Amino acid sequence: MEVKETYNGKIREATIGLGDTAVTVGGETSLPLYMFEGAAPNKPVIALEVYDTKPEDWPEAAIAPYADVLDDPVKWALKCQDEYKADMICLNLASTNPSTGDRNGADIAPIVKAVADAIKIPLIVYGTANADKDAEVMPKAAEACQGKRALIGPVEEENYKTVAAAALGFDHLAAPHSPIDVNIAKQLNILITQLGLAPERVIIDPTTGALGYGLEYCYSVMERLRLAAMTQNDSMTQMPMINQIGREVWKAKEVKTSEADEPAWGDAETRGVLWEALTATALIMAGSNILVMRHPKAVELTRQFVAALTGATN
Amino acid sequence: MALTGIDIFKQLPKTNCGDCGVPTCLAFAMKIAAGQAELAGCPHLSEDAASALSEASAPPIRAVTIGVGDDAVKVGGELVLYRHEKTFFNPCVFAAVIDDGMDAATVDGLLKQTNESRFVRVEQDLKAGLVGVKSLSGDTAKFVALIEKVKAATTQPMVLMCGDPAEMEAGLKAAGETAPLIYAATAANYEAMAALALAHKAPLAVCGTGDLDALVDLVKKIMAAGVKDIVLDPGTRNPKDTLERLVYIRRAALNKKVKELGFPIIVFPNEETDDKMMEAVYAGLYVGKYGSVIMLSDLDAARALPLYVLRQNIYTDPQRPMQVKPGIYPIGNPTADSPVLITSNFSLTYFIVSGEVEASRVPAWLCVMDTEGLSVMTSWAAGKFVPEKIVPFIKGVGIEEQVKHRKLVIPGYLATMSGELEDELEGWNVEVGPREAADIPPFLKTWAS
Ligand code: B12
Ligand code: SF4
């Protein structure tokens, strides 16, 4: 049966972090998980979320694994690294959101530095996708973790000149964020590479919708980006991709509702963990390389999935 | 399906009589080629032309029906490899497998799940679809007794699983005229199994060994015996190998028109791992990548619900967001003093929000604006849910005649436009509601006009 495809494109490899614990993603020469017709030298990796302030609205199942560290980002990051074996840490600067904390760059720089210095694994630092505010905050954050080759995001159309320039200036990588739109994703890649950031320093953030909340749109846009990368050899789609899964999943109603409130929905932790794991695995099928996740059990399932689908079998 | 409009046109009577509802034979041919009409629409087709065309215009993947009556399920019939190219049409189905070695309590538990694993989400009825009944003991009497029990307990169509044709025959008799999926024909038993499928008008699953060329040969023989409704099991039992076979089968059917592989596929995540959480994750893989009948070890709600929602997502038409009609939706007999809320007409948004308003037990008016089926934030960003659109909507929809007060609750994510909206929406006060719909009940309970 001759139905194997050959592809003329390849996903670029990108390395986050420096030294022994640096993590390389990308390098695929086929569609995602199609190990039977291409190489995937680097597996999808998992970053665990850490927040700069104690989260207020997480459901019980998500709080439990971090109950002892939620008000200390450094301890939290170390727990993710040492106990839950995260490949990377994603520090979310939630408190800079103008409608919640509105802290500024100078306020959070010490937190970024403390976390960056404490961990051995690579760091991702994310703003709140408020273009104006991120333009003020992210350069300070990038400066605070200088020398770590971190991934800085999200870079938006409205602020790329500041945020991507900060990533470039402080020797990091950048995550351009496009709203589920192939053309905007490509356009933003063109703009930031024109600024001087090498394409190997770019990780696409295509926007993430959780299972039941827009996942189908992300799935298809990512699938289209991967098809363009592999079959059309379209250079500006050939970057690895990142998905912010934890924060989208754990606000979904079906994840937050307790079993007492909806007995027909079954155990809340099982449901939440699987909601996150299925969102992650669907996005891996669509081409995700870096999955930013929350629950350690969902992480474990996603790891096993990756191992089973990429490992050697008969 | 490779037929072009011209190929089809050549076989039509070319009289342009219009009885098919289209003015010309050519126009009708084009419609068939585009999948918008069926051959049967032309009453003047010669028998030869009809059989030539139906053979050649058969869909590349056959749609197979399992079961009879209201609960019958249709699987297969897919036309594309990637959902954005068109859509995935016939949602995959799930089945918990009950076997004749289980104790009565386990069987009853699985039957209860099969019947009760149902959720309504965005107005769709989400359920498993099938129930598996498996012979483990080799004892025909036990298998038959189990089938009778399942048949009495549920109207969901069955998958009868047994490799021995004699035992299967007894099982099919017990199942009556319910057109269960027969699992499975193999190289060793296919003649007898094909005969059973024909005699009982039931679809037949064909189980391979992992080798697709051998599977093609086996299916060819079964098709030659006259069986039309076939479901394929590639025979692999680990997800890496299974994914490869599934991709190859779908491609061979769509791109190479390999007739023998143009059928829906059955997969067994329940046999690929002992860990129920991993089983659900593998099932998720097959929802996206080409599984049509997905066998599970049970339907525990906490695992079934996420899987059903994933299926709902993957099988949503990507070209056309599901939307509801714009207008005023009264919830719980609202009065002139009840709160007024506004939201978008994206189905998902509407059903989440209306569900929460209902759950609050506070009667309310929900004004659903035409945002062309886009969610709140998407439509805001696209300029469709902005003050200049909201003002004429609120002024024209008739809500001012329904309520005495003038307070409009807007979604929390649109807080930034509240000032501008209040300036432009004459006579109204704008109140910013919570961001997530789940927080609407406590908000409404303390709302005062
Ligand atoms: C799926 C999606 C799409 C889909 C559309 C799906 C659809 N039918 O709407 C597609 C791919 C088409 C799309 C397109 C675009 N999108 Co879009 N999209 C999303 C995504 C991933 C999910 C949206 C969703 O379905 N949410 C689920 C629904 C249920 O949420 P919701 O309607 O907001 O309702 C919730 C609450 O608002 C609340 N609520 C709703 N109504 C009410 C009413 C009251 C009174 C109250 C109190 C509460 C309440 O309850 C609900 C549940 O809690 C989000 C990002 C994300 N992760 O959320 C981006 C997002 C909304 N999109 C965005 C953008 C910019 C766009 C585009 C404009 C991009 C572009 N430039 O082309 C286009 C516009 C489309 C067009 N035709 O022009 C931005 C908006 C940014 C902003 N804040 O302005 C987002 C946030 C992504 C981002 N961060 O960049 N998008
Ligand atoms: S009914 Fe048949 S013969 Fe008449 S116009 Fe239509 S296709 Fe032609």
Side-chain angles (χ1 to χ4, degrees):
Chain A
M1 180 99 11
E2 237 349 288
V3 283
K4 262 198 183 47
E5 296 268 341
T6 47
Y7 303 93
N8 55 12
K10 180 181 174 195
I11 305 301
R12 284 189 186 82
E13 291 194 304
T15 301
I16 303 155
L18 292 165
D20 294 351
T21 57
V23 169
T24 299
V25 292
E28 297 86 40
T29 61
S30 70
L31 289 179
L33 301 179
Y34 287 15
M35 307 295 293
F36 41 88
E37 52 196 11
N42 309 294
K43 290 177 184 172
V45 297
I46 295 168
L48 277 168
E49 293 180 323
V50 172
Y51 284 78
D52 60 352
T53 34
K54 186 172 180 164
E56 298 298 338
D57 54 355
W58 289 18
E60 179 48 38
I63 295 271
Y66 304 106
D68 51 337
V69 294
L70 285 173
D71 41 20
D72 184 339
V74 169
K75 282 194 193 144
W76 186 347
L78 287 172
K79 184 165 193 176
C80 292
Q81 168 184 286
D82 299 332
E83 193 173 326
Y84 299 135
K85 308 285 179 233
D87 298 306
M88 300 186 204
I89 296 299
C90 179
L91 178 61
N92 279 299
L93 304 177
S95 70
T96 65
N97 188 330
S99 60
T100 45
D102 205 19
R103 286 206 281 182
N104 58 34
D107 299 329
I108 51 82
I111 303 177
V112 176
K113 182 163 171 33
V115 171
D117 288 341
I119 58 175
K120 297 193 293 274
I121 53 180
L123 179 67
I124 302 169
V125 187
Y126 249 67
T128 57
N130 179 307
D132 293 341
K133 186 69 189 203
D134 284 352
E136 187 270 319
V137 169
M138 296 316 289
K140 298 280 189 306
E143 184 179 4
C145 57
Q146 192 173 7
K148 303 287 181 186
R149 186 82 39 93
L151 173 59
I152 306 292
V155 174
E156 313 256 345
E157 239 176 336
E158 298 82 9
N159 65 17
Y160 78 95
K161 285 187 183 145
T162 336
V163 179
L168 176 66
F170 295 107
D171 193 25
H172 298 302
L173 293 84
H177 172 232
S178 42
I180 324 197
D181 187 306
V182 172
N183 293 323
I184 298 177
K186 284 165 61 170
Q187 180 60 21
L188 207 43
N189 286 347
I190 293 170
L191 291 173
I192 67 177
T193 47
Q194 280 173 353
L195 274 186
L197 202 69
E200 292 73 23
R201 294 283 186 100
V202 175
I203 310 277
I204 298 172
D205 178 342
T207 295
T208 306
L211 176 58
Y213 295 84
L215 172 71
E216 69 274 38
Y217 294 94
C218 309
Y219 182 91
S220 282
V221 151
M222 291 170 67
E223 208 164 55
R224 286 171 54 202
L225 281 164
R226 275 297 171 259
L227 281 164
M230 301 317 302
T231 63
Q232 293 158 26
N233 203 6
D234 182 341
S235 167
M236 284 298 122
T237 61
Q238 290 173 326
M239 290 78 168
M241 293 193 275
I242 181 170
N243 288 98
Q244 290 284 352
I245 291 166
R247 65 162 193 227
E248 294 298 328
V249 164
W250 290 90
K251 68 179 190 202
K253 172 166 173 97
E254 291 86 343
V255 169
K256 288 182 92 164
T257 305
S258 68
E259 186 174 5
D261 285 339
E262 276 298 346
W265 289 359
D267 178 60
E269 189 197 74
T270 305
R271 194 182 340 122
V273 163
L274 198 56
W275 212 273
E276 185 171 22
L278 281 174
T279 304
T281 52
L283 294 176
I284 290 173
M285 290 157 64
S288 190
N289 300 83
I290 303 175
L291 305 122
V292 183
M293 299 182 64
R294 185 167 298 174
H295 201 290
K297 289 186 180 168
V299 169
E300 199 41 50
L301 292 172
T302 307
R303 281 219 175 91
Q304 281 186 46
F305 173 78
V306 169
L309 271 295
T310 59
T313 50
N314 42 20
Chain B
M1 210 59 182
L3 285 189
T4 65
I6 300 299
D7 296 331
I8 298 165
F9 173 67
K10 283 182 190 150
Q11 304 276 350
L12 295 177
K14 305 193 191 67
T15 55
N16 299 337
C17 72
D19 290 349
C20 53
V22 205
T24 64
C25 295
L26 183 62
F28 182 64
M30 291 302 172
K31 279 199 122 177
I32 298 185
Q36 294 160 349
E38 300 209 0
L39 264 184
C42 170
H44 312 295
L45 208 58
S46 73
E47 243 174 64
D48 286 353
S51 75
L53 280 177
S54 68
E55 178 85 338
S57 67
I61 296 175
R62 187 174 170 86
V64 172
T65 299
I66 305 169
V68 291
D70 290 346
D71 283 318
V73 298
K74 187 161 124 189
V75 289
E78 302 302 336
L79 297 174
V80 292
L81 285 168
Y82 309 104
R83 56 185 292 283
H84 66 262
E85 295 175 315
K86 201 175 183 93
T87 180
F88 288 0
F89 288 100
N90 294 309
C92 56
V93 291
F94 300 100
V97 177
I98 303 176
D99 70 54
D100 63 2
M102 289 173 174
D103 60 39
T106 309
V107 172
D108 290 341
L110 288 172
L111 281 170
K112 188 166 185 286
Q113 282 183 349
T114 297
N115 285 330
E116 293 177 6
S117 182
R118 278 195 127 106
F119 310 90
V120 175
R121 191 171 192 277
V122 198
E123 235 184 8
Q124 289 179 348
D125 187 16
L126 308 180
K127 57 173 185 172
L130 295 175
V131 54
V133 187
K134 182 173 181 174
S135 159
L136 262 192
S137 63
D139 177 344
T140 303
K142 269 189 161 177
F143 187 44
V144 165
L146 182 62
I147 291 170
E148 279 164 352
K149 179 166 185 177
V150 172
K151 191 183 165 198
T154 179
T155 54
Q156 309 283 304
M158 291 182 272
V159 183
L160 300 187
M161 308 173 70
C162 163
D164 173 31
E167 191 175 344
M168 183 63 84
E169 181 165 21
L172 282 163
K173 281 198 184 117
E177 303 298 307
T178 57
L181 175 62
I182 302 174
Y183 182 91
T186 60
N189 68 14
Y190 75 91
E191 284 166 313
M193 287 294 194
L196 288 175
L198 291 172
H200 293 269
K201 297 194 179 63
L204 177 62
V206 180
C207 179
T209 56
D211 176 346
L212 291 187
D213 292 315
L215 184 62
V216 167
D217 287 342
L218 181 57
V219 172
K220 192 173 278 167
K221 292 177 195 156
I222 290 169
M223 289 172 77
V227 178
K228 291 204 167 68
D229 288 323
I230 291 172
V231 174
L232 306 172
D233 171 6
T236 47
R237 290 294 183 268
N238 78 69
K240 181 167 180 262
D241 292 339
T242 304
L243 174 67
E244 174 184 329
R245 306 305 191 276
L246 265 53
V247 170
Y248 283 172
I249 290 174
R250 181 87 151 228
R251 272 192 202 150
L254 295 183
N255 299 346
K256 305 264 160 140
K257 316 289 173 211
V258 178
K259 287 201 302 293
E260 293 79 6
L261 296 180
F263 294 102
I265 304 172
I266 182 171
V267 286
F268 292 83
N270 62 329
E271 295 179 16
E272 296 187 330
T273 170
D274 292 329
D275 175 342
K276 292 194 179 194
M277 293 296 268
M278 280 317 291
E279 174 185 318
V281 169
Y282 295 155
L285 170 71
Y286 304 134
V287 171
K289 291 286 176 182
Y290 316 147
S292 280
V293 178
I294 302 177
M295 306 305 280
L296 300 173
S297 55
D298 67 20
L299 298 172
D300 179 85
R303 279 177 276 111
L305 177 60
L307 275 177
Y308 296 171
V309 173
L310 180 61
R311 169 180 62 185
Q312 184 178 37
N313 275 179
I314 295 290
Y315 281 85
T316 296
D317 183 349
Q319 332 275 344
R320 206 169 34 98
M322 294 191 281
Q323 27 187 305
V324 296
K325 236 175 80 200
I328 306 177
Y329 288 75
I331 300 178
N333 295 319
T335 68
D337 294 315
S338 300
V340 177
L341 300 89
I342 185 166
T343 191
S344 83
N345 80 324
F346 180 34
S347 289
L348 178 63
T349 306
Y350 166 77
F351 286 109
I352 294 173
V353 173
S354 62
E356 293 299 337
V357 173
E358 214 175 303
S360 75
R361 298 183 178 280
V362 177
W365 303 95
L366 183 57
C367 297
V368 177
M369 201 169 107
D370 185 0
T371 58
E372 294 169 30
L374 295 177
S375 78
V376 165
M377 269 196 294
T378 310
S379 58
W380 182 75
K384 298 182 202 307
F385 201 15
V386 290
E388 52 180 308
K389 298 268 163 82
I390 297 175
V391 172
F393 167 70
I394 288 293
K395 292 285 174 188
V397 75
I399 190 67
E400 294 190 333
E401 287 84 72
Q402 299 288 352
V403 292
K404 293 201 300 248
H405 67 86
R406 290 289 179 266
K407 279 180 159 185
L408 177 66
V409 182
I410 63 168
Y413 282 111
L414 298 188
T416 43
M417 72 161 182
S418 66
E420 194 192 337
L421 181 60
E422 195 160 85
D423 289 346
E424 292 182 23
L425 191 57
E426 239 167 84
W428 284 77
N429 293 318
V430 172
E431 267 184 284
V432 177
R435 292 155 74 98
E436 296 298 331
D439 301 319
I440 288 179
F443 172 83
L444 283 185
K445 279 182 189 140
T446 56
W447 186 90
S449 66

